[in-house]
């Protein structure tokens, strides 16, 4: 007898081990591995494995729980085990991968059923609740009637859904009750040899039907898609679905094969599988498991982690059984649920307790609700007529976007408002006064930011708070009507506060000690913004987990999606650059001025021209890349070369490849590099200088300061990246944009595109060139090739003629064809512009460059092609008159390829044979003696050094002279980004 028991336990242990391994394997996404298999049917195996698991687990549970009617307490135990498991699992996940902290994940952790954490778990939970009803029904019916009902329901489920049930949401767990019922029924059925053989044969046949059928229907599906004869509206894997009768026959065969062992299990052993299901199905599992690397082999790492999680499941089950169900509140609830079988009465009692809690805490809850409404309202105030611009070409309804996407950013704003209330309440001890003060500040701050947005296209920055002392000059900017409205609103609010305090007084909440503790905690909360931008810190990750993600590229959009409160807090502490290790002071900058003044004198001995006499055009061509340089691209020979003219510039200009610090975006960063000569790679963290750096200075030095007249032209919206305000700090004399006081002439859009064409850009550039006889600087920015690329152009000869490994979907190929056609239009516009400036009798030099790759190819490929996908085309061309008066046709060829956009100032000065300042001498040395500097393409902190042939150069291989030069460059950049701008105080350093 004892020997039989031991044998049974061994068999049970083996079955549990195999089942656990089968489930834990599914923690990993096996679809990628299967997709690379030689045989097509293997691609569908991971999905088949998961679907089979979804079916057989409820069936096994149904069999084990078929012996007697279950109380609601068993469902509660399941929910509690899942909840506690998820809490511990997610906490470990956030500790291991803090960058993945997200409040939506926390929400899923706290509410595993309503957030569809696991459809399988939800199905088991629903099944146990339904078990008493199923038990009664099955005992009323005969075995034949039970078989008929279950069979009809199974066929009906397949017929009604046509195999399209996705099982992505907890609601689909209700369908799994059917398999639970199958298990309960089969537990009481005696299976003879003939029936078992028939079931096994049916299961094997069904397996091959599914394997062959899914592959076959997949071929039919794609044949329809390619031929254009429909397709796409049916599930090609309808046979491989939990509702599939063939999958059911497979699972029934497997169940009957192991039925004898299954029937030896008990309820306690079944509870073991709840943590295993959480490990298998939790949305974090794949990411969490892949983050552990013990060896260089991915396969070995997976095996180790499966063994680790197997042990963890066993240990965790023992901990839960030993401690969780002995916890007093838990035992009390379980005891009540064991005696109360009426589910309606249980829900009624739970609702009664919930309403009592609401009534007892109504003041706190209503206060929170009001602050949430206030936060939401502050977000709406910043929207543009209840629209939010999610990209340069698309807007979305503000209410839908904020409630659906930025829910937790609004919650975080609410937390800060409540903290402010706690501080006021501790000081005033008056509820309404504190509430009204917070409301007044919240709404007032939102309105103040909106006024500044309307006036200057940017929000209020922390650096501008000191401007309050200049209120006399600020009031006229706001306008008398607005000022009067504000004063009236303040009077009304004060009157309302007095009325509420007298008519509806609210007693003090808590003792002074409790209020004091909350006030101190609230003050501590207001210290956290000083760590918001400290990459890698706990506060940094928690802040981002609330979806407060400042991009610092488009201030108007940032305040719309983050709200006025969080937007302001995000700017309190910016991590720009570390102070130079060699020391930083006014004397340090003075020493660098003296050092490079000598270099400048040496350079100027061989230079003849004065820069201010030249007409210099820096032309940023939006998203321009030579299409022929895209990785893996193939353009059919029947299609013309889209950039034939620009490629011809190789022989008559300084021509080559520019390294971009952005991909699919970051236009203003490249513009900042070209205008200042400073470099994005030297920053400590990702930022946008136009938004985070330039506003900290009343004047900011650019190459334009060397001219008596400087202007900017951009035939698009002028508020992006705070350009209007920053150009004032650059002391630009003129900024032409759509909606400015200067008219954008010759506005021409190509095809269905909503953007002004490059022909428009160059027409306005030419007008400005001809507007002045003397030298000038023009910052010319195009917009034509900006995303999206929605088949704008009719008669596009590139449509259907582009291929390559990175262009493997019809949508990407269509976008690429649209983009290539756009570059052809750019090529024609550039050719026309070059021809026009060649006819002008004054020295003109054009610095043409693409700012970044278009966002067509998935950014995941940047790891494979880091340099290529951060490279664009540039050329520096001096017109005929300039060449006749000292300008070079091109610089030495070796210096042309793989340069940074921060090199353009030095290159332009050399090509035009212009004299340099000490700062420009430093830039010249950096360009000539250092590899090109750019951002770290791996996404890590620090810079990357790229040689003239595109190779990565490690910093440790720099010579002592190069290291000293780089340190000097970093010191000057620190001075003008995170420092005190000592260089501006030295006459002649920049200008």
């Amino acid at each position: 007898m004892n020997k039989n028991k031991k044998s049974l336990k061994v068999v049970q242990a083996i079955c549990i081990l195999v089942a656990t391994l089968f489930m834990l394997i599914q923690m990993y996404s096996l679809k990628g591995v299967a997709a690379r298999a030689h045989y097509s049917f293997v691609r569908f195996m991971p999905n088949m494995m998961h679907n089979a698991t979804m079916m057989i687990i409820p069936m096994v549970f149904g069999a084990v729980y078929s012996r007697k009617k279950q109380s609601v307490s068993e469902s509660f135990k399941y929910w509690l085990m899942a909840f506690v498991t998820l809490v511990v699992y997610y906490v470990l996940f956030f500790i291991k991968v803090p960058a993945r902290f997200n409040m939506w994940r926390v929400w899923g952790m706290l509410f595993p059923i309503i957030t569809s954490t696991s459809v399988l778990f939800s199905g088991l939970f629903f099944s146990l609740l339904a078990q008493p009803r199923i038990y009664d029904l099955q005992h009323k019916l005969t075995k034949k009637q039970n078989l008929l009902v279950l069979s009809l329901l199974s066929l009906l489920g397949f017929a009604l859904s046509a195999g399209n049930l996705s099982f992505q949401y907890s609601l689909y767990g209700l369908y799994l009750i059917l398999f639970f019922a199958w298990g309960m029924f089969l537990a009481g059925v005696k299976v003879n040899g003939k029936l078992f053989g028939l079931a096994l044969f049916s299961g094997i046949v069904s397996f091959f039907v599914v394997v062959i059928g899914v592959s076959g229907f997949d071929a039919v599906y794609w044949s329809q898609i390619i031929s254009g004869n429909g397709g796409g509206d049916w599930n090609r894997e309808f046979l491989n679905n939990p509702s599939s009768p063939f999958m059911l026959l497979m699972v029934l065969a497997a169940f009957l094969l192991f039925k004898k062992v299954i029937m030896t299990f008990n309820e306690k052993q079944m509870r073991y599988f709840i943590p295993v299901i959480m490990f298998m199905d939790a949305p974090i599992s794949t990411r969490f498991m892949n983050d552990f690397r013990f060896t260089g082999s991915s396969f070995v790492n997976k095996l180790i982690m499966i063994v680790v999680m197997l042990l963890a499941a066993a240990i965790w089950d023992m901990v839960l059984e030993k401690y969780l169900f002995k916890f007093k509140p838990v035992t009390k609830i379980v005891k009540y649920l064991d005696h109360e079988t009426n589910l309606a009465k249980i829900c009624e009692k739970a609702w009664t307790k919930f309403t009592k809690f609401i009534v007892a805490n109504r003041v706190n809850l209503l206060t929170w609700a009001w602050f949430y409404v206030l936060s939401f309202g502050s977000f709406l105030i910043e929207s543009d007529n209840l629209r939010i611009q999610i990209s340069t070409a698309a807007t979305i309804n503000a209410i839908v976007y904020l409630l659906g996407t930025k829910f937790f950013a609004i919650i975080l704003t609410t937390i800060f408002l409540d903290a402010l209330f706690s501080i006021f309440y501790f000081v005033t001890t008056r509820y309404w006064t504190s509430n009204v003060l917070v409301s007044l500040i919240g709404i007032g701050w939102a309105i103040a930011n909106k006024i500044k947005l309307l006036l200057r296209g940017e929000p209020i920055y922390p650096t501008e708070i000191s401007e309050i002392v200049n209120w006399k000059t600020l009031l006229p900017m706001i306008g008398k009507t607005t000022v009067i409205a504000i004063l009236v609103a303040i009077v009304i609010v004060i009157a309302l506060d007095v009325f509420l305090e007298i008519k509806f007084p609210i007693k003090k909440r808590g003792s002074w000690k409790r209020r004091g503790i909350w006030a101190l905690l609230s003050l501590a909360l207001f210290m956290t913004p000083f760590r918001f931008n400290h990459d890698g810190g706990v506060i940094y990750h928690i802040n981002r987990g609330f979806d407060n993600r400042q991009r610092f590229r488009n201030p108007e959009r940032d305040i719309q999606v983050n709200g006025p409160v969080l937007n302001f807090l995000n700017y309190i502490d910016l991590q720009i650059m570390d102070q130079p290790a060699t020391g930083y002071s006014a004397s340090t900058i003075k020493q660098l001025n003296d050092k490079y003044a000598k270099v400048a004198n040496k350079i100027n001995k061989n230079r003849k021209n004065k820069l201010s006499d030249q007409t210099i055009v820096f032309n940023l061509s939006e998203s321009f890349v030579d299409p022929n340089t895209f990785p893996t691209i193939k353009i059919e020979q029947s299609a013309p070369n889209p950039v034939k003219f620009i490629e011809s510039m190789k022989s008559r200009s300084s021509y080559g490849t520019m390294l971009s610090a952005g991909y699919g975006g970051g236009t203003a960063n490249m513009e900042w590099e070209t205008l200042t000569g400073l470099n994005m790679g030297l920053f400590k963290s990702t930022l946008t200088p136009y938004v985070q750096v330039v506003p900290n200075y009343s004047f900011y030095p650019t190459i334009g300061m060397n001219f008596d007249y400087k202007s900017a032209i951009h035939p698009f919206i002028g508020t992006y990246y705070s350009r209007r305000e920053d150009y004032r700090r650059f002391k630009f004399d003129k900024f032409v944009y759509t909606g400015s006081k200067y008219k954008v002439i010759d506005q021409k859009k190509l095809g269905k595109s909503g953007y002004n064409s490059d022909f428009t850009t160059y027409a306005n550039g030419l007008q400005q060139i001809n507007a002045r006889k003397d030298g000038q600087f023009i910052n010319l920015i195009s917009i034509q090739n900006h995303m999206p690329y929605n088949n704008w152009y009719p008669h596009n000869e590139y449509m259907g003629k582009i291929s390559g490994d990175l262009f493997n979907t019809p949508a990407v190929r269509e976008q690429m064809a649209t983009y290539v056609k756009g570059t052809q239009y750019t090529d024609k516009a550039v050719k026309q512009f070059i021809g026009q400036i060649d006819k002008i009798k004054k020295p003109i030099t054009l610095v043409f460059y693409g700012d970044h790759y278009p966002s067509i190819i998935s950014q995941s490929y940047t790891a494979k092609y880091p340099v290529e996908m951060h490279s664009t085309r540039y050329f520096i061309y001096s017109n005929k008159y300039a060449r006749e008066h000292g300008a070079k046709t091109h610089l030495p060829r070796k210096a042309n390829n793989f340069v940074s956009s921060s090199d353009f100032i030095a290159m332009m000065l050399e090509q035009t044979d212009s004299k340099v300042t000490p700062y420009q001498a430093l830039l010249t040395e950096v360009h000539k003696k250092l590899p090109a500097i750019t951002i770290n393409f791996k996404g890590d902190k620090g810079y990357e050094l790229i040689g003239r042939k595109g190779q990565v150069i490690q910093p440790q291989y720099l010579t002592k002279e190069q290291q000293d030069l780089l340190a000097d460059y970093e010191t000057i950049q620190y001075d003008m980004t995170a420092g005190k701008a000592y260089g501006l105080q030295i006459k002649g350093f920049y200008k």
Side-chain angles (χ1 to χ4, degrees), residues 645-704:
F645 177 78
I646 289 176
E647 285 187 355
S648 74
M649 297 300 291
K650 186 173 185 179
S651 62
R652 52 196 182 121
S653 69
S654 299
Y655 175 98
T657 302
M658 183 204 86
L659 295 167
S660 173
Y663 175 84
T667 297
N669 294 344
M670 310 316 301
E671 187 184 338
W672 177 80
E673 283 194 344
T674 60
L675 294 177
T676 64
L678 304 176
N679 194 282
M680 293 295 300
L682 301 183
F683 285 129
K684 184 178 179 181
S685 58
T686 302
L687 52 83
T688 299
Y690 268 21
V691 179
Q692 295 169 279
V693 174
V694 177
N696 296 332
Y697 301 88
S698 57
F699 169 71
Y700 208 84
T702 67
I703 186 61

Side-chain angles (χ1 to χ4, degrees), residues 603-853:
I603 292 172
N604 290 338
K605 285 181 181 179
N606 300 314
R607 300 269 179 102
K608 298 178 180 179
N609 291 331
K610 185 179 178 183
L611 181 60
S612 59
D613 294 335
Q614 310 284 321
T615 294
I616 305 297
V617 181
F618 274 21
N619 175 206
L620 184 156
S621 185
E622 173 63 47
S623 301
F624 181 85
V625 179
D626 182 343
N628 299 304
T629 64
F630 275 73
T632 78
I633 194 170
K634 296 176 183 176
I635 302 176
E636 291 184 14
Q637 291 184 352
S638 59
N641 182 357
V643 289
K644 183 178 180 181
F645 177 78
I646 289 176
E647 285 187 355
S648 74
M649 297 300 291
K650 186 173 185 179
S651 62
R652 52 196 182 121
S653 69
S654 299
Y655 175 98
T657 302
M658 183 204 86
L659 295 167
S660 173
Y663 175 84
T667 297
N669 294 344
M670 310 316 301
E671 187 184 338
W672 177 80
E673 283 194 344
T674 60
L675 294 177
T676 64
L678 304 176
N679 194 282
M680 293 295 300
L682 301 183
F683 285 129
K684 184 178 179 181
S685 58
T686 302
L687 52 83
T688 299
Y690 268 21
V691 179
Q692 295 169 279
V693 174
V694 177
N696 296 332
Y697 301 88
S698 57
F699 169 71
Y700 208 84
T702 67
I703 186 61
M705 68 188 294
N706 295 275
F707 297 82
D708 295 331
Y709 192 88
K710 47 269 181 192
S711 61
I713 300 169
H714 183 39
F716 191 57
I717 301 168
T719 55
Y720 280 116
Y721 301 106
S722 296
R723 277 195 181 98
R724 289 190 305 184
E725 188 60 29
D726 286 350
Y727 287 168
R728 292 190 188 102
R729 291 184 170 92
F730 296 161
K731 303 300 181 187
F732 279 14
D733 298 286
K734 182 181 182 181
F735 179 25
V736 182
Y737 60 92
T738 54
S740 69
K741 63 180 180 179
Y742 307 103
K743 184 180 179 181
V744 176
I745 66 167
D746 197 23
Q747 294 197 40
K748 179 182 179 182
K749 296 177 174 64
L750 302 173
K752 298 177 183 178
S753 173
Y755 298 122
N756 276 316
S757 69
D758 283 352
F759 295 99
T760 299
T761 302
Y762 293 123
N764 284 268
L766 187 66
Q767 182 190 51
Q768 182 57 44
I769 290 172
N770 291 326
R772 295 186 62 83
K773 293 182 180 179
D774 300 326
Q776 62 174 314
F777 175 79
I778 304 172
N779 189 39
L780 188 62
I781 312 163
S782 75
I783 191 66
Q784 173 189 290
N785 293 321
H786 199 286
M787 67 168 292
Y789 307 98
N790 296 337
N791 194 11
W792 301 129
Y793 312 116
H795 313 298
N796 186 349
E797 61 265 51
Y798 301 100
M799 199 64 69
K801 296 184 179 180
I802 291 176
S803 60
D805 295 342
L806 305 191
F807 311 93
N808 53 8
T809 67
V812 171
R813 287 193 291 271
E814 180 180 286
Q815 292 179 53
M816 193 62 196
T818 301
Y819 173 78
V820 173
K821 183 63 178 179
T823 62
Q824 185 189 54
Y825 282 125
T826 298
D827 190 68
K828 292 177 179 179
V830 170
K831 181 179 181 180
Q832 179 179 297
F833 186 59
I834 293 289
Q836 289 166 330
I837 64 174
D838 265 339
K839 296 175 183 177
I840 299 174
K841 299 299 182 180
K842 60 180 178 181
I844 303 171
T845 294
L846 171 68
V847 179
F848 172 95
Y849 65 99
D851 56 340
H852 54 70
Y853 250 66

